[in-house]
Structures are given as C-alpha cells and as structure tokens.
C-alpha cells in the first residue's frame, strides 16, 4: 500500500527566498507523480505532472524533480512571492491505480 | 474550457440528517472521482467512476454514503444519515484518462455536521 509523507509540514519564509518542498513515497514503482496547490477553502490546482521516465518538469518558477529509486520528489520554488502562500500536496500514481495524496506542506511567504 | 463545477459550496446540517452534493466534470472527461478531505490531511478517495460505472468504491462507507453518475456526466454523492465525523470538504475531480491520468478538481463542498 502506497504511503506518502511530506516534509516539512509547515514552512514560513521571507519573500524572495528559493525553497524546496519534499515528498517521499514507499512504493517506488510509480507511473507518475502530480504536484498540486490548494488555497484555503478552495479545491486543488494541478501544478506539474511528472512521468516516471522523466527526471524533472518545469513550469515558470516551479521545478519538480523525481527520483523513483529512492522514492522521492522535490518541488523547487524560485524567488518566492506572497502569492505562493498555500498548501502544496504531492500525489504519486501507480499504473492503473489512483493517486495517493500526501498530507501537504503549508507554505507562508512573508512580504 | 469550463472547469469542474460543484454545488453547494457550503452546507451545515445536524447529525442524522441527509445531504447531497452535485458535481459536473469537465466536458469529455470519462473518469470522475469523489474525495473526502479532513482538515490537515490530504484527500482520500471515496469512489471512482468510469463513464457511469463504478471502478473503485473500496473506501466508501456504504452503510451511509452512496453515489451515482447517471448518463456518464453529472454525479451526486449522498450521505444518509450524517455523523459528526463526516465534517470535511468533499472534492470532485475528473480526468480524461483512467488513473493515474492528470486530475482536475472542483472547488469542493465544505460540510459541517453539528
């Protein structure tokens, strides 16, 4: 059974910092992994979907890397802004199976 | 392209009452998911539909929860009777492909059971 952890649980940084959010999963035989953002009281917004054959995926200031063999993914946010404040969730997906979501990292970027 | 629509956005009921949530997925998305998200946790899958058939309902508390997807488009999730521990956000998502295809989420329905 896939289990997902995210470290840290919460993070508070000043504006402009580069930061890394970590995701670990127990079953490394994944097909892909999706990173989401969730604003308070809102649904999830897809940020990046990285396939198992890829090492990384980039969108604007966001870069997600995947190391299947070690069961880890990281989300790198460059030059953080107050608008980046949200909860970030990772969800690995095994082939033919549903995504399993981590508990999320709650990020606060202070102006 | 319109996103996933859900209603209502908020609902407050007393325990033992019944409640229903509605979801309209992205047009053309054959796969529809209902998730329960308790405060501070990630979403937990309740049920997955492929067109109008149930693919996975292994985590659905079937003694009180039910869901249907008529005509393979809109879906309704019902709780009857509600318990205090059902207080959560109920999220609907859809995807073009079966799992684990990229999922797109609606805004959710926040349920409070008193």
């Amino acid at each position: 059974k896939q289990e997902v952890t995210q470290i840290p649980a919460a993070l508070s940084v000043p504006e402009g910092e580069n930061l890394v959010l970590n995701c670990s999963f127990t079953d490394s035989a994944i097909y892909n992994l999706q990173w989401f953002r969730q604003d308070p009281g809102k649904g999830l917004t897809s940020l990046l979907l990285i396939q198992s054959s890829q090492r990384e995926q980039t969108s604007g200031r966001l870069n997600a890397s995947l190391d299947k063999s070690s069961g880890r993914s990281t989300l790198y946010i460059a030059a953080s802004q107050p608008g980046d404040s949200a909860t970030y969730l990772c969800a690995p997906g095994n082939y033919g199976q549903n995504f399993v979501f981590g508990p999320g990292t709650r990020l606060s970027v202070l102006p | 392209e319109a996103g996933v629509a859900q209603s209502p956005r908020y609902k407050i009921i007393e325990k033992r009452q019944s409640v229903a949530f509605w979801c309209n997925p992205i047009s053309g998305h054959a796969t529809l998911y209902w998730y329960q998200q308790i405060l501070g946790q990630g979403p937990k899958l309740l049920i997955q539909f492929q067109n109008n058939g149930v693919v996975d309902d292994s985590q659905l508390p079937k003694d009180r929860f039910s869901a249907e997807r008529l005509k393979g488009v809109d879906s309704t999730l019902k709780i009857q009777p509600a318990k205090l521990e059902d207080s959560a956000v109920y999220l609907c998502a859809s995807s073009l492909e079966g799992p684990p295809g990229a999922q797109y989420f609606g805004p959710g329905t926040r349920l409070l059971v008193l």
Side-chain angles (χ1 to χ4, degrees):
Chain A
K1 178 187 171 188
Q2 181 72 275
E3 294 183 5
V4 185
T5 55
Q6 291 188 245
I7 294 173
L11 183 63
S12 185
V13 300
E15 181 177 5
E17 274 204 7
N18 301 323
L19 50 99
V20 174
L21 309 181
N22 296 293
C23 169
S24 297
F25 45 92
T26 54
D27 183 352
S28 62
I30 63 169
Y31 183 75
N32 56 21
L33 185 145
Q34 196 164 4
W35 279 94
F36 294 88
R37 167 188 173 135
Q38 186 172 30
D39 293 282
K42 302 282 181 66
L44 279 66
T45 301
S46 178
L47 297 173
L48 291 163
L49 175 69
I50 183 165
Q51 301 295 338
S52 62
S53 57
Q54 297 176 303
R55 297 281 300 182
E56 59 180 56
Q57 186 77 261
T58 298
S59 176
R61 295 182 294 107
L62 305 179
N63 176 276
S65 67
L66 176 63
D67 185 346
K68 268 187 57 177
S69 61
S70 64
R72 287 191 291 190
S73 177
T74 60
L75 180 67
Y76 175 83
I77 303 177
S80 58
Q81 303 171 358
D84 295 330
S85 297
T87 297
Y88 292 81
L89 299 102
C90 72
N94 293 69
Y95 186 77
Q97 299 178 31
N98 287 297
F99 288 109
V100 176
F101 286 82
T105 293
R106 191 170 66 253
L107 172 66
S108 295
V109 181
L110 307 175
Chain B
E1 172 181 272
V4 177
Q6 289 188 249
S7 67
R9 293 296 314 278
Y10 305 94
K11 192 74 177 179
I12 300 174
I13 61 173
E14 295 190 350
K15 60 183 179 183
R16 291 188 289 274
Q17 286 187 323
S18 63
V19 64
F21 313 127
W22 172 83
C23 172
N24 179 247
I26 293 173
S27 177
H29 282 196
T31 310
L32 185 147
Y33 309 83
W34 283 102
Y35 290 89
Q36 180 192 60
Q37 186 177 25
I38 292 172
L39 189 64
Q41 299 180 17
K44 182 186 83 171
L45 180 71
L46 292 175
I47 189 167
Q48 175 203 341
F49 291 95
Q50 184 74 20
N51 296 307
N52 60 350
V54 175
V55 176
D56 183 354
D57 63 356
S58 58
Q59 299 190 88
L60 186 74
K62 298 181 184 66
D63 58 333
R64 297 183 301 104
F65 286 64
S66 64
E68 60 181 8
R69 189 182 186 197
L70 299 176
K71 300 181 182 178
V73 182
D74 293 4
S75 178
T76 303
L77 177 69
K78 296 180 181 178
I79 307 175
Q80 182 178 10
K83 293 185 175 182
L84 297 177
E85 59 262 35
D86 297 332
S87 295
V89 176
Y90 291 85
L91 296 162
C92 179
S94 69
S95 65
L96 190 59
E97 307 162 326
Q103 294 187 14
Y104 301 90
F105 282 76
T109 296
R110 186 175 299 272
L111 174 67
L112 179 61
V113 183
L114 302 175

